[in-house]
């Protein structure tokens, strides 16, 4: 039999989640859309995974009654799954903030793929994407031609091929932001704080370097575009490019810290790498080098 505190917390979780959902219809959506898993993280971290069943079912059936469409309750289940996973990892005493973020990111990534498949089935996502690109071509045809795109039909296969990885990259801030917000609330309720290491100490495993080389080789063999054989390597390369770009920024932060430079330099470099495409590639290559070599150790040994 459920305990009264669990039922009370479940009702609070339900109301908080519905409040975030309804806020998506307002200008606040630019902020609240990132916090959808938060109520389930708080519920699970405080009371355990079984306590999240009640609010999950309550929200699911509420949205099914309101919308009458199975897609939206399904989306709730996927969001709740991400929140429950992060909450469980947070609740465990032997995990770090890195474990919580990686667990949430993995669950969010899988959930996005499932949502895309469902959206393709229920809303004809591919045709909607084609119509959207055609409209953009009509508005910005000259701009596209500057980049060598003579027809929107030339662009569709490339965009469609990497949409999953682009959505994955947009979802990266979700577990990070939810960890920060959840930690403040949970710390006040007696749970230990879970923290990430300083950004300059972030390191991708070296296996990512070799995986990147294999993915590039597969992509060169099977080609680009809308071919089904190239769909997986194209998305893998896009995600890895982003990860190595972040690793490159981490390496630059390490170099700046090592040289005693202020954080203002890091802000300037990060903004420059977002604006100047050549600089983006350089930062990416620095991340590849940092991951695939022992350059930090060699630089430290020379310094000694």
């Amino acid at each position: 039999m459920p305990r009264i505190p669990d039922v009370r917390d479940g009702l609070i979780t339900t109301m908080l989640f519905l409040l975030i959902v309804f806020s998506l219809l307002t200008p606040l959506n630019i902020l609240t859309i990132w916090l959808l898993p938060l109520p389930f993280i708080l519920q699970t971290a405080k009371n355990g995974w079984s306590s999240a069943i009640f609010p999950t079912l309550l929200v699911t059936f509420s949205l099914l009654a309101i919308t009458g469409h199975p897609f939206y309750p399904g989306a709730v289940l996927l969001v709740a799954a991400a929140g429950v996973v992060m909450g469980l990892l947070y609740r465990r005493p032997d995990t770090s903030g890195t474990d919580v973020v990686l667990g949430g990111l993995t669950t969010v990534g899988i959930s996005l793929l499932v949502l895309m498949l469902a959206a393709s089935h229920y809303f004809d996502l591919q045709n909607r994407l084609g119509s959207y690109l055609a409209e953009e071509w009509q508005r910005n045809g000259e701009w596209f031609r500057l980049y060598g795109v003579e027809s929107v039909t030339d662009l569709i296969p490339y965009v469609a091929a990497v949409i999953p990885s682009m959505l994955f990259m947009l979802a990266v801030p979700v577990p990070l932001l939810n960890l920060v917000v959840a930690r403040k609330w949970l710390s006040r309720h007696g749970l230990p704080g879970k923290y990430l290491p300083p950004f300059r100490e972030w390191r991708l495993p070296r296996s990512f370097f070799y995986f990147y080389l294999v993915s590039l080789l597969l992509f060169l063999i099977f080609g680009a575009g809308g071919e089904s054989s190239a769909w997986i390597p194209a998305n893998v390369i896009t995600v890895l490019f982003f990860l190595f770009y972040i690793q490159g920024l981490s390496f630059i932060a390490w170099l700046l810290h090592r040289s005693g430079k202020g954080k203002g330099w890091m802000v300037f470099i990060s903004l420059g790498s977002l604006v100047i495409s050549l600089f983006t590639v350089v930062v990416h290559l620095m991340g590849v080098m940092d991951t695939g070599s022992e350059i930090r150790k060699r630089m430290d040994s020379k310094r000694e």
Side-chain angles (χ1 to χ4, degrees):
M1 181 176 178
R3 297 184 303 132
I4 292 178
D6 288 349
V7 174
R8 180 199 62 204
D9 289 346
L11 291 173
I12 294 174
T13 297
T14 301
M15 291 186 290
L16 179 58
F17 182 80
L18 291 176
L19 180 64
I20 295 175
V21 169
F22 290 131
S23 73
L24 299 180
L25 304 176
T26 72
L28 291 175
N29 58 15
I30 193 173
L31 297 175
T32 55
I33 192 172
W34 307 100
L35 299 176
L36 283 169
L38 180 63
F40 299 101
I41 297 174
L42 301 177
Q43 174 76 19
T44 306
K46 184 181 178 184
N47 301 316
W49 69 269
S50 59
S51 69
I53 296 176
F54 169 63
T56 300
L57 293 177
L58 186 57
V59 170
T60 299
F61 286 111
S62 296
L63 285 182
L64 182 61
I66 294 171
T67 64
H69 199 293
F71 175 81
Y72 301 103
V76 168
L77 291 176
L78 294 174
V79 169
V84 169
V85 168
M86 291 187 67
L88 278 175
L89 291 171
Y90 197 103
R91 184 178 175 85
R92 292 177 56 180
D94 58 339
T95 56
S96 65
T98 303
D99 298 321
V100 177
V101 169
L102 290 177
L105 189 58
T106 302
T107 311
V108 168
I110 295 172
S111 298
L112 280 175
L113 288 176
V114 174
L115 281 175
M116 283 197 62
L117 292 174
S120 298
H121 175 72
Y122 287 112
F123 304 113
D124 197 10
L125 183 62
Q126 292 294 333
N127 287 334
R128 286 176 178 265
L129 175 63
S131 300
Y132 171 77
L133 289 175
E135 293 174 2
E136 289 300 311
W137 171 257
Q138 294 296 327
R139 283 197 290 262
N140 303 292
E142 291 299 325
W143 184 85
F144 280 121
R145 290 189 186 95
L146 290 175
Y147 285 85
V149 180
E150 297 297 332
S151 171
V152 70
T153 56
D154 298 333
L155 187 64
I156 290 176
Y158 297 95
V159 174
V162 297
I163 279 181
S165 56
M166 292 169 65
L167 289 175
F168 176 82
M169 288 185 288
L170 289 174
V172 167
V174 172
L176 293 170
L177 292 174
N178 279 274
L179 172 64
V180 172
V181 177
R183 182 175 62 221
K184 293 182 180 297
W185 189 90
L186 293 171
S187 297
R188 296 174 183 172
H189 288 75
L191 276 76
K194 304 281 185 175
Y195 296 90
L196 294 169
F199 181 60
R200 64 179 181 273
E201 297 178 8
W202 288 15
R203 296 293 303 276
L204 289 172
R206 184 171 291 187
S207 57
F208 276 61
F209 173 76
Y210 300 110
F211 187 50
Y212 191 35
L213 295 180
V214 172
S215 300
L216 283 173
L217 181 61
L218 291 174
F219 187 71
L220 291 174
I221 292 174
F222 293 111
E227 298 295 331
S228 58
S229 57
W231 185 82
I232 294 178
N235 281 279
V236 169
I237 288 173
T238 303
V239 172
L240 288 175
F241 184 95
F242 174 75
L243 291 177
F244 282 121
Y245 167 75
I246 298 298
Q247 183 62 57
L249 290 177
S250 173
F251 182 49
I252 292 172
W254 181 80
L255 291 173
L256 292 173
H257 178 77
R258 186 172 179 269
S259 303
K261 302 293 184 182
K263 294 182 179 180
W265 282 92
M266 194 63 212
V267 174
F268 176 75
I269 291 172
S270 300
L271 292 176
S273 66
L274 292 174
V275 175
I276 305 172
S277 57
L278 180 60
F279 194 18
T280 305
V281 175
V282 171
V283 173
H284 162 76
L285 293 176
M286 292 178 70
V288 174
M289 177 183 64
D290 186 33
T291 304
S293 69
E294 298 291 340
I295 186 171
R296 298 196 191 197
K297 288 185 178 180
R298 288 201 296 268
M299 293 180 69
D300 282 337
S301 62
K302 288 181 180 180
R303 192 174 188 178
E304 294 173 0

